[in-house]
Amino acid sequence: MTGLSWQATTLILGLAWFAVINLVVSVVALAAAHLIDDRLTADASRARRLLALRLAPALVSVGVTVLLFVPAHVWLEPARPDEEIALVPLILAAAGLLLLLGAAVRSARAMRQTVRLAALTPQREVQRGAIRVIEVPGLSGVALAGIVRPRILIGTGTRRVLTAAELDLAVAHERAHQRAGDNLSRVLIHCAPDFLGWVPQAGRLERLWEAEAECLADAAAANGSPARATRLASALVKVARLASAADRTWSPGWSTFHHAALLQTRVRLLVSG
């Protein structure tokens, strides 16, 4: 293609580089994912490795393109009023643009859903502290909502069925997620622009990381106490019973106390110490 401005050529080549690097790192991450077993260790370092592997294609491709290619191209490539570009870079640029547009659409949907859920009324603050704890009658379960100014949302039904000790442990579990920055990690995973997200192994990495994050939060809430662990397991079962009767759709960036797929595993680990 001819007749492109220097600025347009820079954009197209930047998108092409983004797509190529993204594809290469996605292939490497896919190969590495096959070497990871499915065991659950509740190990913080393993959780970080799983998260880094899942986000590697997006982070590496964006970082190399923005921090290396674009500055180098602007600095070294002479500006010409009539640039030429071949077909292959155009195809790669289109693929990179599609990845970024898909990430933008997912981000917009998540933001819209978060705003809608956060606006549920009536709300009542039931506890003060480092994180606001809000009772919301329209919810079922417990969730950590937000990243910059997180709030713990508790459904009225959930607050009624949990004892005071169980409620404190559910709050402690969500606070552990807040200290670990898990909501930000969830948003990054959900919105990551990469080719890796097109294959089932990406979902497997996400599930493994989710399991590690939940068990780490359980361990932090139990704090080595068998009595606290038992009460936390009881709270999980009670919340699970409520959730089974009400289909609750949360925002992708929220940490939710109950996960049906992990319930049996988490309860077993808690009661077995």
Side-chain angles (χ1 to χ4, degrees), residues 180-204:
D182 289 338
N183 277 12
L184 176 60
S185 298
R186 288 185 175 88
V187 170
L188 292 175
I189 289 173
H190 181 71
C191 301
D194 56 31
F195 291 104
L196 182 62
W198 296 4
V199 298
Q201 279 295 330
R204 175 174 171 266

Side-chain angles (χ1 to χ4, degrees), residues 37-268:
D37 56 44
D38 292 334
R39 76 183 189 280
L40 182 59
T41 62
D43 181 10
S45 62
R46 174 178 163 88
R48 288 192 292 268
R49 290 194 299 271
L50 288 167
L51 181 63
L53 187 60
R54 175 62 188 89
L55 295 177
L59 295 181
V60 172
S61 57
V62 170
V64 170
T65 302
V66 173
L67 299 179
L68 292 180
F69 169 76
V70 173
H73 185 78
V74 171
W75 182 33
L76 300 174
E77 182 70 16
R80 297 196 302 265
D82 189 10
E83 294 277 345
E84 297 183 2
I85 193 165
L87 179 61
V88 173
L90 286 174
I91 295 175
L92 292 172
L97 182 60
L98 287 176
L99 289 179
L100 294 175
L101 288 177
V105 169
R106 291 192 299 274
S107 301
R109 288 176 178 172
M111 185 177 298
R112 184 171 63 250
Q113 189 174 14
T114 298
V115 171
R116 179 178 62 83
L117 292 172
L120 289 174
T121 54
Q123 299 181 356
R124 184 168 68 92
E125 190 161 342
V126 296
Q127 183 175 333
R128 295 183 180 275
I131 300 179
R132 297 175 63 199
V133 179
I134 308 294
E135 180 181 337
V136 183
L139 300 180
S140 62
V142 183
L144 177 70
I147 298 173
V148 179
R149 292 185 298 175
R151 302 176 301 165
I152 294 179
L153 306 183
I154 299 177
T156 299
T158 301
R159 185 165 179 259
R160 288 173 180 169
V161 300
L162 297 182
T163 65
E166 292 169 346
L167 181 59
D168 287 342
L169 286 168
V171 170
H173 173 96
E174 298 305 329
R175 283 179 171 167
H177 280 305
Q178 190 271 335
R179 290 192 297 271
D182 289 338
N183 277 12
L184 176 60
S185 298
R186 288 185 175 88
V187 170
L188 292 175
I189 289 173
H190 181 71
C191 301
D194 56 31
F195 291 104
L196 182 62
W198 296 4
V199 298
Q201 279 295 330
R204 175 174 171 266
L205 288 174
E206 294 167 15
R207 290 189 296 271
L208 289 175
W209 173 80
E210 186 74 39
E212 294 288 347
E214 290 300 329
C215 289
L216 285 169
D218 286 342
N223 196 26
S225 167
R228 288 172 64 89
T230 302
R231 286 195 292 269
L232 182 58
S234 174
L236 277 170
V237 173
K238 290 180 179 179
V239 173
R241 289 172 179 168
L242 284 177
S244 64
D247 184 17
R248 182 68 236 153
T249 301
W250 302 96
S251 169
W254 289 11
S255 167
T256 53
F257 182 60
H258 165 253
H259 293 262
L262 297 174
L263 176 64
Q264 182 177 356
T265 300
R266 290 171 63 189
V267 170
R268 175 175 54 80

